[in-house]
Amino acid sequence: MKLRMHTLAVLIKKDFRLMFTNKNMLIMILLPIGFAVLYQTIFGDVKEAGMPSNFVLTLCELLNLSAIPLTGLAMMVAEEKEKNTLRVLMLSDVSALEYIFSKIISVLVLMELITIVIFFITATQLSYLPMFLLVTTVTSISMLLFGSVVGLLSKDQMSTSTLSTPLMILFLIPPMFQNMNEVIDKIASIVPTTRMMAIINDAMNGMSILSQEHLLDFGIILAWILLGVVTFAMMYRRKGFDN
């Protein structure tokens, strides 16, 4: 499959317009930012409330990583299926690789912007920003791949919610409630977002993200990325985009 940079640039511009004209996508964009403002107001001094200093930051970033790539990206693909834009693009010599890359890059850039906004809303120490962006970006790749699978399988925007909700629950709930019982803790131990939180929490406590203790964390995140690639490849061979 071909990948032409000028075609990719045009598609990315189109995708950014699509993101900010889709009402459902706008709600997802505002959701983590809105929660950051709300939680920062409620838990103004998290230390006095007996919570970790990065509690609001990681909680809102979990929402960012779970909602936007899994549901938002899928909705963009589904919307173009509904409007027959996808079929027009495929007939206009746009390759499947160019199409999905443009979606992934556009949503990734959007997520990075939201991450930076959340970071500054929560008044986190600026020196942690490069580390935070690096760890969340690596983790978000697996989410984007699974979001692409949901978009590939969805016939319309309505069906994206049905297909993406189980994945959102898997990536969002276990990291938040891993200490509640043994079953959730076991599930959380193999979820990439849990491993992401562990790396960030340790880094903000002075530990290097490249330390030996985090080899397993990064290994699990990379395993989910590989699983996403394999799942997408298998589903694409079976279904294609314009099904």
Side-chain angles (χ1 to χ4, degrees):
M1 286 189 287
K2 52 193 173 183
L3 184 62
R4 298 159 297 186
M5 296 310 296
H6 66 281
T7 303
L8 196 59
V10 172
L11 289 171
I12 289 171
K13 288 179 183 178
K14 174 189 68 65
D15 289 336
F16 267 101
R17 286 197 299 270
L18 182 62
M19 283 191 292
F20 290 101
T21 54
N22 185 308
K23 292 179 181 178
N24 293 321
M25 192 68 179
L26 283 173
I27 291 171
M28 279 178 225
I29 292 170
L30 295 173
L31 203 60
I33 296 172
F35 272 108
V37 173
L38 178 63
Y39 286 144
Q40 191 67 14
T41 303
I42 295 173
F43 306 117
D45 194 335
V46 292
K47 289 183 179 178
E48 286 185 13
M51 298 174 185
S53 58
N54 60 332
F55 169 76
V56 176
L57 176 66
T58 52
L59 184 65
C60 294
E61 186 60 22
L62 271 176
L63 187 59
N64 182 24
L65 262 65
S66 301
I68 294 177
L70 292 172
T71 303
L73 189 153
M75 277 185 175
M76 290 169 66
V77 176
E79 183 181 2
E80 292 193 327
K81 286 183 182 180
E82 288 178 351
K83 295 179 177 178
N84 290 320
T85 311
L86 177 55
R87 184 164 298 179
V88 172
L89 289 172
M90 293 304 172
L91 292 172
S92 302
D93 197 33
V94 172
S95 71
L97 188 63
E98 290 167 339
Y99 179 79
I100 198 59
F101 260 54
S102 72
K103 289 283 184 291
I104 288 175
I105 292 169
S106 302
V107 176
L108 179 60
V109 170
L110 176 66
M111 290 170 66
E112 296 290 312
L113 293 173
I114 293 171
T115 295
I116 292 170
V117 171
I118 291 170
F119 191 91
F120 284 106
I121 288 173
T122 55
T124 308
Q125 189 177 323
L126 188 59
S127 59
Y128 293 131
L129 182 58
M131 172 279 300
F132 191 71
L133 284 173
L134 174 63
V135 176
T136 55
T137 299
V138 172
T139 308
S140 66
I141 293 171
S142 61
M143 313 292 173
L144 289 162
L145 289 166
F146 282 101
S148 301
V149 172
V150 173
L152 190 151
L153 297 174
S154 300
K155 292 183 179 179
D156 50 42
Q157 292 187 71
M158 190 75 71
S159 61
T160 58
S161 298
T162 305
L163 293 170
S164 64
T165 298
L167 287 170
M168 283 183 62
I169 292 171
L170 176 64
F171 292 133
L172 181 62
I173 301 302
M176 292 173 63
F177 301 104
Q178 60 181 316
N179 297 320
M180 286 189 66
N181 63 54
E182 193 174 333
V183 175
I184 296 177
D185 187 57
K186 285 181 179 179
I187 295 171
S189 66
I190 59 170
V191 172
T193 42
T194 308
R195 297 297 179 165
M196 175 197 77
M197 287 180 65
I199 296 169
I200 291 170
N201 288 335
D202 286 346
M204 290 188 171
N205 286 317
M207 185 184 293
S208 170
I209 63 171
L210 300 177
S211 62
Q212 190 173 356
E213 287 82 355
H214 293 311
L215 286 177
L216 179 60
D217 296 324
F218 279 113
I220 289 175
I221 292 171
L222 290 174
W224 276 92
I225 293 173
L226 290 174
L227 180 61
V229 170
V230 171
T231 304
F232 178 80
M234 289 174 59
M235 291 298 104
Y236 179 75
R237 283 175 190 164
R238 288 186 183 181
K239 303 278 292 183
F241 273 114
D242 192 14
N243 48 63

